[in-house]
């Protein structure tokens, strides 16, 4: 077993001893918030981990990588990558009782950059994540109409026909790209602020502020609704979906395994990345949440339970999504077939009702034999159920185009639209609680604001700054900016941070010390499974995924899809290259958090070398017991 531990002088002075933990917990009772009960803590963690990605990213990956075959690498990597890192974050937060900056500073002063990097990522992801919630609110407000506004094209200015852009695409596409985003034809064409999006963004940040105004004291109450309601709505949609025509086609298509995909390394790498992102690891929020627990809370059991719920939710959500996609594909298949039947009836002046799906091929042969010339002039559409089911859509396209189109074809469609967007709102909001935690606590650790400021002012200022920066997403080019941040802010930086976290605990803090801490907290040492995954397997997997992504990104040209009615193949997505200045944005978004870690370590090293020997004791200026919007003890 690997037992390498790097030199770490002064560690004993920076962390409380095991004997002091129970005393510290009692002293913190008046100055630090704590969970009202275990259920509140678990719901908060589940709400943070289970987000929009479980609903619109996982089903797409299943469909892209062999359906049921994707479940095999997903579940394997969930066990050997996701759960060990989740357990590590829970345990280290509970042991050191601090936020991300405080935890890594205590382990070694040079590691403070890891906590700062987590804060940067939480900040940037929170900016665009809450914008998605704003879009969800816009659709929610528009769902109280019959018919739904995205179910048919609007009339043109002369009221003599429909708007051309809509007739050339579809009503759901037009409502999303034109009436919601009013999107420009490229990222450089910023345009102006769209007031309706800005209004929804104001509502989104206001709701988040109210829910996080006093930290876990308020978010802990909100999660009873935001973390449980999505499961109720998913179940309602599953029951409804299974009663729709063609739902089983989608579910069968999703879970039919293509075992040849298991030999594709991209399948395993995508599964590893999905496991990693679906747990919301390396944001710092989970470390903070666990620090509010009792010292003797069973964090091992917590990590296993949250992981099982997370994995189950991904599979459950995929089943629901593909029952609806199966219904949508069947509707489109039937519409396509109806057009072909109409073409045949009109071409040969046949009695209505004589041609059906069942005898269509037969009637085609008869018509061809009767009059080959006339038959040759007819143009039939290609109606293939598999191709309709295979149209892989993820992210906002799944939520705001595919699902909304399917809802328009359901009876009482406004009701299903309201339920769907309430579910997305709850999923997004509960994830934002963790993102806010990952920003607020590090700022408190870093003493960025006066300690005497009221909790409400501190939280409000952070929300206000984020709100103003998020104005960029309300421009005509806002969707392009959001896609850019989504591609780079929450990808490579999180992998780098997570690798540093595991390396820091195992080889800087010392895995033997960590084992003793866990034995003190839960009553027994971690078994051989945790030892192997922490020391070797999980870091190795993360390193492979990280190197793979770096190789792919370096060799890949930066392109993005634009909505351009002037494009000759419109409404197909028009892929164009990003302008050169975007490379600078990518470096800032993905590079700054990553570079924060080595840069701060070098800064600390140089600073310590320049200090006089007598001033080098206490490598961390002071010990803090940080709490989200709570008082700090020094």
């Amino acid at each position: 077993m690997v037992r390498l531990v790097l030199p770490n002088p002064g560690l004993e002075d920076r962390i409380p001893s095991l004997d002091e933990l129970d005393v510290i917990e009692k002293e913190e009772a008046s100055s630090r918030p704590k969970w009202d009960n275990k259920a509140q803590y678990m719901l908060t963690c589940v709400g943070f981990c289970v987000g929009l990605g479980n609903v619109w990213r996982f089903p797409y990956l299943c469909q892209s990588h062999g359906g049921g075959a994707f479940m095999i690498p997903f579940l394997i990597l969930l066990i050997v990558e996701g759960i060990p890192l989740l357990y590590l974050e829970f345990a280290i937060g509970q042991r050191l009782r601090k936020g991300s900056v405080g935890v890594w500073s205590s382990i070694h002063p040079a590691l403070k950059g890891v906590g700062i990097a987590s804060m940067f990522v939480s900040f940037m992801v929170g900016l665009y994540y809450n914008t998605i919630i704003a879009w969800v609110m816009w659709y929610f407000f528009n769902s109280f109409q019959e018919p739904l506004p995205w179910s048919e094209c609007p009339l043109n200015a002369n009221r003599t026909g429909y708007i051309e852009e809509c007739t050339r695409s579809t009503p759901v596409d037009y409502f999303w790209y034109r009436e919601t985003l009013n999107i420009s034809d490229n990222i450089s064409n910023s345009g102006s602020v769209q007031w309706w999006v800005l209004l929804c963004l104001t509502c989104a940040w206001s709701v988040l502020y109210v829910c996080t105004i006093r930290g876990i004291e308020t978010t802990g109450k909100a999660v009873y609704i935001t973390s449980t309601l999505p499961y109720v709505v998913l179940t309602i949609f599953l029951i409804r979906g299974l009663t729709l025509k063609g739902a089983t086609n989608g579910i069968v298509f999703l879970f039919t395994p293509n075992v040849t995909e298991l030999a594709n390394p991209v399948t395993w790498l995508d599964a590893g990345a999905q496991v990693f992102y679906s747990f919301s690891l390396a944001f710092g929020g989970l470390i903070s949440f666990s620090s509010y627990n009792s010292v003797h809370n069973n964090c091992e059991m917590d990590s296993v339970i949250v992981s099982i719920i997370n994995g189950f939710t991904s599979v459950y959500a995929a089943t629901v999504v593909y029952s609806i996609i199966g219904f949508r594909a069947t509707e489109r298949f039937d519409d396509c077939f109806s057009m072909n039947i109409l073409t045949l009836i009109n071409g040969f002046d046949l009695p209505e009702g004589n041609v059906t799906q069942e005898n269509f091929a037969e009637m085609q042969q008869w018509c061809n034999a009767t009059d080959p010339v006339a038959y040759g002039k007819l143009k039939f559409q290609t109606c293939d159920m598999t191709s309709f089911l295979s149209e892989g859509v993820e992210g906002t396209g799944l939520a705001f185009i595919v699902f909304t189109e399917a809802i328009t074809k359901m009876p009482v469609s406004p009701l299903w639209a309201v339920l769907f967007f309430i579910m997305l709102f709850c999923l997004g909001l509960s994830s934002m609680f963790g993102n806010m935690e990952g920003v607020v606590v590090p700022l408190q650790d870093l003493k960025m604001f006066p300690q005497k400021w009221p909790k409400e002012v501190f939280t409000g200022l952070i929300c206000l700054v984020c709100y103003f920066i998020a104005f960029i997403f309300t421009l005509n080019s806002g969707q392009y900016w959001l896609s850019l941040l989504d591609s780079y802010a929450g990808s490579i930086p999180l992998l780098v941070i997570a690798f540093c976290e595991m390396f820091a605990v195992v080889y800087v803090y010392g895995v033997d010390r960590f084992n003793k801490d866990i034995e003190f907290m839960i009553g027994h040492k971690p078994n051989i499974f945790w030892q192997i995954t922490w020391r070797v397997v999980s870091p190795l997997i993360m390193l492979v995924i990280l190197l793979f992504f770096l190789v792919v990104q370096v060799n890949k040209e930066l392109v993005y899809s634009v909505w351009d009615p002037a494009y000759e193949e419109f409404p197909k997505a028009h892929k164009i290259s990003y302008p050169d200045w975007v490379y600078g944005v990518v470096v800032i978004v993905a590079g700054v958090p990553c570079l924060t870690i080595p840069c701060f370590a070098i800064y600390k090293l140089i600073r310590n070398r320049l200090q006089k020997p007598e001033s080098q004791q206490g490598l961390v200026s002071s010990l803090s017991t940080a709490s989200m919007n709570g008082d700090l003890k020094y």
Side-chain angles (χ1 to χ4, degrees), residues 70-125:
F70 183 76
M71 304 289 179
I72 298 171
F74 175 75
L75 293 175
I76 291 173
L77 293 173
L78 182 143
I79 293 170
V80 299
E81 177 196 5
I83 304 179
L85 188 52
L86 184 67
Y87 184 12
L88 182 141
E89 289 202 353
F90 279 166
I92 201 68
Q94 186 172 306
R95 165 65 175 91
L96 299 181
R97 314 199 63 70
K98 299 176 184 178
S100 56
V101 168
V103 161
W104 305 118
S105 297
S106 298
I107 290 176
H108 197 286
L111 292 172
K112 183 182 280 190
V114 176
I116 296 173
S118 292
M119 180 189 70
F120 278 146
V121 174
S122 291
F123 177 76
M124 286 187 290
V125 170

Side-chain angles (χ1 to χ4, degrees), residues 544-622:
V544 169
I545 294 173
L546 175 61
L547 292 174
F548 168 78
F549 274 121
L550 287 173
V551 169
V552 169
Q553 294 300 331
V554 167
N555 294 323
K556 188 173 73 173
E557 183 187 4
L558 288 183
V559 296
Y560 66 113
S561 298
V562 299
W563 179 262
D564 184 8
Y567 179 48
E568 58 186 16
E569 295 185 39
F570 180 81
K572 285 186 177 181
H574 184 197
K575 291 192 177 295
I576 62 174
S577 299
Y578 276 113
D580 292 339
W581 56 263
V582 167
Y583 287 85
V585 176
V586 171
V587 169
I588 294 171
V589 169
V592 168
C594 296
L595 293 173
T596 300
I597 300 171
C599 287
F600 193 89
I602 294 169
Y603 158 75
K604 204 70 181 176
L605 177 66
I606 294 173
R607 184 183 172 190
N608 289 341
R609 287 291 178 90
L610 295 177
Q611 283 178 335
K612 295 179 181 180
E614 61 268 18
S615 66
Q616 287 188 13
Q617 60 179 5
L619 295 171
V620 177
S621 57
S622 61

Side-chain angles (χ1 to χ4, degrees), residues 314-530:
S314 295
V315 177
Y316 190 51
T319 306
V320 175
V321 166
Y322 266 85
S323 70
I324 302 299
I325 287 179
F327 162 68
R328 172 180 176 263
T330 303
E331 287 283 313
R332 295 180 70 181
F333 178 80
D334 289 345
D335 290 343
C336 178
F337 229 117
S338 297
M339 289 298 297
N340 285 348
I341 290 173
L342 191 62
T343 300
L344 195 62
I345 288 174
N346 292 339
F348 282 83
D349 198 21
L350 299 172
E352 204 169 322
N354 269 28
V355 184
T356 62
Q357 285 191 20
E358 288 74 24
N359 69 1
F360 181 73
E362 223 176 285
M363 292 300 294
Q364 275 186 309
Q365 291 176 359
W366 179 81
C367 291
N368 190 23
T370 304
D371 190 346
V373 177
Y375 181 82
K377 293 179 180 179
L378 300 180
K379 293 184 178 179
F380 296 102
Q381 298 180 22
T382 302
C383 304
D384 179 38
M385 177 66 78
T386 303
S387 66
F388 288 131
L389 288 167
S390 299
E391 291 177 358
V393 181
E394 61 174 323
T396 53
L398 177 63
F400 299 115
I401 296 177
V402 173
F403 232 86
T404 50
E405 180 186 340
I407 286 171
T408 61
K409 300 180 185 300
M410 296 182 187
V412 202
S413 54
L415 172 64
W416 299 108
V418 168
L419 282 174
F420 177 64
F421 291 112
I422 284 177
M423 178 188 73
L424 292 185
F425 176 77
C426 289
L427 284 170
L429 188 62
S430 57
S431 294
M432 277 302 299
F433 294 160
N435 278 326
M436 282 296 291
E437 180 83 2
V439 175
V440 172
V441 173
L443 286 176
Q444 288 182 324
D445 274 356
L446 294 169
K447 307 177 203 174
M448 298 295 289
F449 298 97
Q451 299 169 37
K452 295 181 180 179
W453 278 19
K455 301 173 184 179
E456 295 81 1
V457 173
F458 186 75
T459 308
L461 186 62
I462 294 173
C463 288
L464 197 62
V465 170
C466 293
Y467 167 68
F468 282 124
I469 295 175
F471 272 33
I472 193 171
F473 303 119
T474 67
L475 300 172
N476 296 103
S477 59
Q479 158 71 2
Y480 304 135
W481 280 100
L482 189 142
S483 298
L484 183 65
L485 259 68
D486 187 37
S487 299
Y488 296 99
S491 56
I492 291 175
L494 290 177
L495 287 166
V496 172
I497 294 165
F499 178 80
C500 292
E501 285 183 356
M502 193 160 279
F503 183 85
V505 171
V506 175
Y507 299 112
V508 180
Y509 185 75
V511 74
D512 290 333
R513 180 193 299 273
F514 191 49
N515 289 336
K516 291 176 183 176
D517 292 344
I518 292 175
E519 184 179 20
F520 172 80
M521 292 189 293
I522 69 174
H524 62 85
K525 283 187 177 181
N527 60 34
I528 188 68
F529 168 78
W530 303 113

Side-chain angles (χ1 to χ4, degrees), residues 1 5 92 124 132 144 190 193 225 263 284 288 366 445 490 548 602 617 623:
M1 194 70 74
V5 179
I92 201 68
M124 286 187 290
I132 296 174
F144 295 92
S190 298
V193 171
I225 296 174
S288 295
W366 179 81
D445 274 356
F548 168 78
I602 294 169
Q617 60 179 5
L623 290 175

